[in-house]
Amino acid sequence: QQQVKQSPQSLIVQKGGISIINCAYENTAFDYFPWYQQFPGKGPALLIAIRPDVSEKKEGRFTISFNKSAKQFSLHIMDSQPGDSATYFCAASRKFAGANNLFFGTGTRLTVIP
Amino acid sequence: EADIYQTPRYLVIGTGKKITLECSQTMGHDKMYWYQQDPGMELHLIHYSYGVNSTEKGDLSSESTVSRIRTEHFPLTLESARPSHTSQYLCASSGTGGNTGELFFGEGSRLTVL
């Protein structure tokens, strides 16, 4: 069972446009929601993350919007650039003594057209 | 820049061969992970470790095995490779403090079994 559902699977945006990727979860025990960015031939890297006590977090052109009641969160990339072309993964984790507490979405391949 | 290293980056081998994918991190992290990444992007946890002498199987069943004799080293072994093992294998680590969802990934080992 997919713990975190992500959409769309792929996204094509014109340079300067807004890219929006959505994720949803069911487990209310999740308390940390990171987004990872992966370029071809590289491993994923943490891009931005949010905790459920805030509704929005912004870092440069990247913003996470979080809706706790709807159990949804999304990544907005403002003024999208060709260099943003990558695969984006949302994830969710909960406080847990073990190591396997991070659940990834299925990924969104973003292409920004010049 | 994360200090986690994987070798080899690319490996092409014949069916039945034994292979070991190496993973080392210099951050002193307790937790380490192996993910298998499908060509279509999705990340599947196949092994993880809480620390030295600890290994656990992940969500996706895998014929590979792992060992954790030293904190910094978490190699993955396939005793007899098959074409179905063709995939990208990503190693990651995380610390005990701070964010519960921040993983540091290596650049991956892309395995092709002929």
Side-chain angles (χ1 to χ4, degrees), chain B residues 11 13 17-21 76-81 111:
Chain B
L11 181 62
I13 59 169
K17 298 292 185 182
K18 177 181 179 179
I19 64 109
T20 296
L21 304 180
L76 180 146
T77 298
L78 274 167
E79 290 292 335
S80 180
L111 173 65

Side-chain angles (χ1 to χ4, degrees), chain A residues 36 38 41-42 51 93 98-99, chain B residues 9 33 37 50 100-101 103 107:
Chain A
Y36 283 78
Q38 183 179 25
K42 302 290 186 180
R51 293 203 179 272
S93 73
Chain B
R9 291 291 314 281
Y33 315 77
Q37 186 169 32
Y50 296 100
T100 56
L103 300 187
E107 293 194 321

Side-chain angles (χ1 to χ4, degrees), chain A residues 2 9 31-32 34 36 38 41-44 46 51 87 89 93-94 97-102 104 106-109, chain B residues 9-10 31 33 35 37 39-43 45 48-50 59 88 90 98-103 105-107:
Chain A
Q2 192 73 32
Q9 187 173 16
D31 68 343
Y32 181 66
Y36 283 78
Q38 183 179 25
K42 302 290 186 180
L46 182 65
R51 293 203 179 272
T87 299
F89 293 93
S93 73
R94 62 181 186 269
N100 61 331
N101 61 351
L102 183 64
F104 284 96
T106 50
T108 297
R109 182 170 283 128
Chain B
R9 291 291 314 281
Y10 304 93
K31 301 183 184 75
Y33 315 77
Y35 285 86
Q37 186 169 32
M41 301 179 298
E42 203 166 339
L43 292 159
L45 180 67
Y48 61 98
S49 168
Y50 296 100
D59 305 321
Q88 163 130 292
L90 289 163
N99 298 319
T100 56
E102 184 168 8
L103 300 187
F105 282 89
E107 293 194 321

Side-chain angles (χ1 to χ4, degrees), chain A residues 36-90:
Chain A
Y36 283 78
Q37 179 187 54
Q38 183 179 25
F39 292 106
K42 302 290 186 180
L46 182 65
L47 178 65
I48 186 173
I50 196 169
R51 293 203 179 272
D53 52 347
V54 297
S55 60
E56 185 175 281
K57 182 173 182 180
K58 184 176 181 180
E59 289 184 2
R61 295 183 294 108
F62 299 90
T63 300
I64 299 177
S65 296
F66 187 82
N67 186 329
K68 189 173 181 178
S69 60
K71 292 185 283 187
Q72 296 175 347
F73 59 110
S74 59
L75 177 69
H76 297 238
I77 305 174
M78 310 301 288
D79 187 26
S80 298
Q81 298 296 313
D84 297 331
S85 296
T87 299
Y88 292 83
F89 293 93
C90 62

Side-chain angles (χ1 to χ4, degrees), chain B residues 42-92:
Chain B
E42 203 166 339
L43 292 159
H44 298 285
L45 180 67
I46 53 174
H47 298 284
Y48 61 98
S49 168
Y50 296 100
V52 171
N53 294 325
S54 154
T55 61
E56 302 286 345
K57 290 191 178 294
D59 305 321
L60 181 68
S61 175
S62 174
E63 294 170 347
S64 58
T65 59
V66 292
S67 63
R68 189 88 183 276
I69 299 172
R70 304 196 314 266
T71 298
E72 64 272 20
H73 195 214
F74 191 41
L76 180 146
T77 298
L78 274 167
E79 290 292 335
S80 180
R82 294 203 301 271
S84 61
H85 297 137
T86 294
S87 189
Q88 163 130 292
Y89 294 85
L90 289 163
C91 181

